[in-house]
Amino acid sequence: MRYQWRLSSERGVPVESYKRIIIEDIKQHVPSAEIALEVPPDPKLGDLALPCFPLAPVLRKSPAAIAADLKGKIGQHDFIDKVEVVGGYLNFYLNRTTVIRDTVNAILAEGQSYGSSGSGRGKRALVEHTSINPNASPHVGRARNALIGDSIVRMLRFEGYDVEVHYFVNDVGKQIAMLVLGAEGRESVTFDELLGVYVDINRRVEEDPELEKKVFALLSRLESGDEDAIKSFRQIVDVCIDGQTRILGELGIRYDVFKYESDYVSRGVTGEILGRLQATGKLEKDTDGRFVLNLEGYDLPSRAPYVVLTRADGTSLYPLRDIAYTIDKVLTGRNPNIVVLGEDQKLYFQQVRAALDILGYAAPVSVHYSFVLLPDGKMSTRQGTVVLLEDFMKEAVAKATEEMEKRHGEADEAIAKAVAYGAVKYAILKVANERNVTFDWESALSFEGDTGPYLQYCHARINSIIRRAGGELPAGADFSVLTEDIEFELAKELAQFPSAVSQAVAECSPHIVANAAARVARAFSTFYNQCPVLNADDERVRDARLLLCASVKQVIGNGMSLLGIDPVESM
RNA sequence: GCGCCCGUAGCUCAGUGGAUUAGAGCAACGGACUUCUAAUCCGUAGGCCGAAGGUUCGAGUCCUUCCGGGCGUACCA
């Protein structure tokens, strides 16, 4: 299907250009003030409003008087039906036909890029996310990192950025060394066995200090370049990474670059960083013989202004390896340079930022999210209350399959997966980053209401209408025949979508997109139940509604793709 | 103890540089499928926006204190 549309308004989002025009009009009379329009709480009060309260001190008149004054100063525009003064507000009633027509035309013209401001065209960005301890299968808490990160990647690409996605692989360190030790003597270890191995060795190390010494000895051998150590570490890490990327890949989450911590050690980068820090005079050797970085003056909320970079035996600690890697990322010149981290890493990343500052680099931007909790409290590996992402996915697929069989007698595997994963992703992405997600199976596996499948369902229903219309859309339509309130409300929701995307991008907050898409879907469902499309009495109404539906499909589809939710044609 | 984040309907969550009457979903109750997919829609009920002060003509939104939860607070990553 190809669309050839002429935009009746200038390029971009119609409602935004209406706002610009109105603001221009007002500025001619009150040039000094900041003018901002907002959307009234009730459609009865109009579609756009100017609160005149902030102007009162400037003009030294009452808001109501200012509103009354300005009312006469608004020029004649085809998109404005009437302007009314209510209290201190100047309320604008937009012309329904113009809004619907301009919005639908803009959407069909811009298609997959409707909602994008193009802010990233010609620019390069970098996003690091997931980077989890490779010791086992990710639980839904860890998955939140990958989901948020992946959505940010999608949003940036939507904005036009060339994005490089990074995964920083933790293949050094105590935890991995313990895994290597725990797996010693085994022929091979599968990904699913890792958690058991890890729990077991953890217990043994706690009980036996001698064993812990062996762990550190192993680490030391690795860092000094011992071939056997390197080989056995790499073997375990490969199992971890394969397992994790298989699960995340199943959800459509992919990475461009895997950087290994060990690489920064073996290439001598960590040593070099240490040398450069030494030259700044901020690096100190403490009484235990460890290298610590003095962060005095950075006002960090920690008891002691130090970050420890090495063990006494000279082996590197995570912060040092991460500093080396982070500098590497900075040197790519990509901007924005984003890293997604749990809220437990807030202070830690301030330390990294300080370390980079000492070396003269600007640190990446960190996006933090809060942990996923269970209704009874935290997830605990020891109490066995963690919900593994893979289990969540499997349960969701089972339920989606069951629902499809109930409805159609059979289930399409690909669609069942799309619906299931849509539910999984939406359940986590709909919550604002800084809030804890409360995970309970019942609502997480719900396909009704404010869920991923709700979006997919709307999309599928519209597709069904278009299919029954013969797959062809009318070349144009007379939108003045769309007189129902809900048709106008729906168009306004569609028009709102781009500013939601812009905000979501600016704040790295996928939940804003989730909400915006859900609003459109809700408005559509109301419309759907109230307004027949193919069965409309009038051919002109049919055509106009068909194009309205096609725009809704596009917008919901764009929203879903930003969340990484697969649109389905039927379900 | 100190620092950061969160506290909105029974439950899960929205709420845009303060601004016209605080919104959804789930659960509950009552309705709507011979009509484009009922994974839907419509209606009813449900709120001292954690508490108390403060700033403002105006506060869920800003400030202070307190309470509750999450996360930190050098030798894990």
Side-chain angles (χ1 to χ4, degrees):
Chain A
M1 282 183 285
R2 288 275 149 74
Y3 307 101
Q4 285 277 326
W5 301 100
R6 245 173 297 127
L7 286 171
S8 61
S9 58
E10 51 190 304
R11 62 182 285 278
V13 191
V15 171
E16 290 303 317
S17 51
Y18 303 156
K19 280 190 188 173
R20 273 201 301 278
I21 292 166
I22 292 172
I23 289 170
E24 280 309 306
D25 278 2
I26 295 167
K27 276 201 170 157
Q28 304 230 310
H29 301 91
V30 225
S32 55
E34 274 290 304
I35 309 291
L37 293 177
E38 55 190 46
V39 178
D42 189 321
K44 290 194 183 81
L45 293 164
D47 309 303
L48 290 173
L50 173 75
C52 297
F53 306 94
L55 302 179
V58 183
L59 301 176
R60 298 158 86 192
K61 274 195 286 190
S62 78
I66 294 168
D69 253 20
L70 286 174
K71 182 182 173 184
K73 308 278 171 63
I74 302 298
Q76 290 288 326
H77 301 290
D78 64 343
F79 62 87
I80 298 177
D81 270 358
K82 63 174 174 175
V83 183
E84 276 185 357
V85 177
V86 179
Y89 288 89
L90 195 55
N91 291 338
F92 298 86
Y93 294 78
L94 301 183
N95 180 270
R96 296 186 167 202
T97 303
T98 308
V99 171
I100 296 173
R101 182 195 60 211
D102 288 356
T103 304
V104 168
N105 284 353
I107 294 166
L108 296 181
E110 296 182 30
Q112 292 185 339
S113 60
Y114 176 77
S116 167
S117 72
S119 63
R121 266 194 288 260
K123 299 182 190 163
R124 304 185 316 145
L126 189 154
V127 177
E128 178 206 342
H129 65 79
T130 314
S131 302
I132 45 185
N133 294 346
N135 56 20
S137 188
H139 58 69
V140 293
R142 295 295 184 194
R144 195 176 183 192
N145 188 316
L147 259 23
I148 290 172
D150 185 56
S151 180
I152 290 171
V153 168
R154 290 166 185 274
M155 292 194 290
L156 290 175
R157 288 190 172 139
F158 185 65
E159 284 292 296
Y161 285 97
D162 166 22
V163 185
E164 190 170 276
V165 186
H166 278 224
Y167 186 129
F168 190 39
V169 182
N170 171 242
D171 62 337
V172 193
K174 192 177 170 186
Q175 305 202 27
I176 278 291
M178 289 204 297
L179 268 184
V180 171
L181 207 61
E184 226 172 36
R186 283 170 176 256
E187 188 73 6
S188 66
V189 184
T190 67
F191 186 62
D192 295 333
E193 292 165 348
L194 282 177
L195 184 60
V197 171
Y198 184 72
V199 169
D200 181 58
I201 188 75
N202 233 315
R203 186 179 47 76
R204 283 164 52 203
V205 165
E206 256 173 49
E207 289 167 0
D208 180 3
E210 284 305 307
L211 199 57
E212 187 167 35
K213 281 185 190 159
K214 277 184 81 176
V215 172
F216 289 125
L218 190 58
L219 264 181
S220 191
R221 273 168 53 209
L222 175 81
E223 294 216 6
S224 59
D226 181 294
E227 293 287 336
D228 287 345
I230 290 172
K231 212 174 136 193
S232 50
F233 269 68
R234 183 51 67 105
Q235 220 166 18
I236 288 280
V237 168
D238 282 348
V239 172
C240 296
I241 294 300
D242 285 353
Q244 287 181 356
T245 52
R246 190 196 70 234
I247 294 169
L248 295 169
E250 173 81 5
L251 289 177
I253 299 173
R254 316 213 190 284
Y255 306 84
D256 301 312
V257 175
F258 288 85
K259 290 282 189 179
Y260 289 80
E261 289 183 26
S262 61
D263 212 33
Y264 290 87
V265 177
S266 64
R267 279 175 25 233
V269 185
T270 47
E272 183 204 324
I273 298 292
L274 232 33
R276 286 165 64 190
L277 285 169
Q278 186 109 57
T280 67
K282 303 270 191 183
L283 192 68
E284 303 173 6
K285 204 161 201 177
D286 73 359
T287 50
D288 297 330
R290 305 166 310 177
F291 278 113
V292 301
L293 187 59
N294 188 334
L295 265 23
E296 235 166 299
Y298 283 94
D299 197 28
L300 300 181
S302 131
R303 287 176 214 241
Y306 293 99
V307 58
V308 182
L309 299 182
T310 70
R311 295 189 179 85
D313 66 4
T315 55
S316 64
L317 288 168
Y318 180 73
L320 177 59
R321 303 189 294 270
D322 194 23
I323 288 165
Y325 164 61
T326 303
I327 289 171
D328 219 8
K329 287 195 293 183
V330 170
L331 291 177
T332 63
R334 289 176 178 266
N335 186 15
N337 186 336
I338 294 170
V339 56
V340 182
L341 299 167
E343 67 170 332
D344 55 335
Q345 314 259 307
K346 273 187 187 172
L347 167 60
Y348 164 72
F349 199 73
Q350 287 183 62
Q351 293 173 330
V352 171
R353 185 175 295 125
L356 259 69
D357 184 67
I358 287 171
L359 293 173
Y361 300 107
V365 171
S366 59
V367 173
H368 297 276
Y369 61 92
S370 294
F371 287 173
V372 177
L373 305 177
L374 297 169
D376 327 306
K378 313 179 202 184
M379 277 193 245
S380 156
T381 312
R382 269 176 305 156
Q383 290 168 27
T385 53
V386 283
V387 177
L388 293 184
L389 175 61
E390 200 173 11
D391 293 339
F392 182 20
M393 287 161 65
K394 278 182 184 156
E395 288 293 327
V397 171
K399 171 143 190 230
T401 305
E402 184 190 320
E403 294 289 330
M404 286 191 79
E405 281 168 351
K406 202 161 76 191
R407 288 173 175 76
H408 311 298
E410 56 178 355
D412 178 287
E413 195 190 333
I415 293 174
K417 276 189 173 179
V419 171
Y421 299 161
V424 167
K425 289 185 176 184
Y426 193 92
I428 289 172
L429 287 177
K430 74 170 172 178
V431 181
N433 296 167
E434 59 275 12
R435 287 184 59 129
N436 289 105
V437 169
T438 306
F439 182 94
D440 73 283
W441 280 101
E442 193 188 327
S443 60
L445 286 179
S446 169
F447 297 161
E448 290 168 20
D450 189 20
T451 65
Y454 181 82
L455 301 180
Q456 291 167 315
Y457 187 62
C458 283
H459 189 271
R461 281 172 133 187
I462 298 169
N463 187 64
S464 174
I465 292 175
I466 294 173
R467 195 180 57 238
R468 284 169 189 273
E472 289 288 322
L473 291 176
D478 172 8
F479 291 99
S480 68
V481 298
L482 300 184
T483 55
E484 297 291 329
D485 287 351
I486 186 59
E487 292 168 329
F488 183 46
E489 293 307 314
L490 180 53
K492 282 198 289 183
E493 288 297 347
L494 294 171
Q496 216 86 299
F497 183 73
S499 61
V501 173
S502 293
Q503 196 192 344
V505 171
E507 297 175 15
C508 291
S509 291
H511 86 280
I512 295 172
V513 171
N515 265 290
R519 287 173 65 100
V520 171
R522 234 177 284 131
F524 172 77
S525 291
T526 301
F527 161 84
Y528 182 89
N529 276 270
Q530 199 172 309
C531 303
V533 179
L534 300 177
N535 304 325
D537 303 333
D538 188 324
E539 190 78 6
R540 293 174 306 161
V541 173
R542 179 194 130 108
D543 283 358
R545 284 183 177 162
L546 211 40
L547 292 180
L548 182 59
C549 285
S551 336
V552 173
K553 181 181 169 185
Q554 185 65 254
V555 172
I556 292 179
N558 290 4
M560 283 191 290
S561 92
L562 292 176
L563 300 171
I565 296 174
D566 287 333
V568 293
E569 298 302 317
S570 66
M571 66 185 271

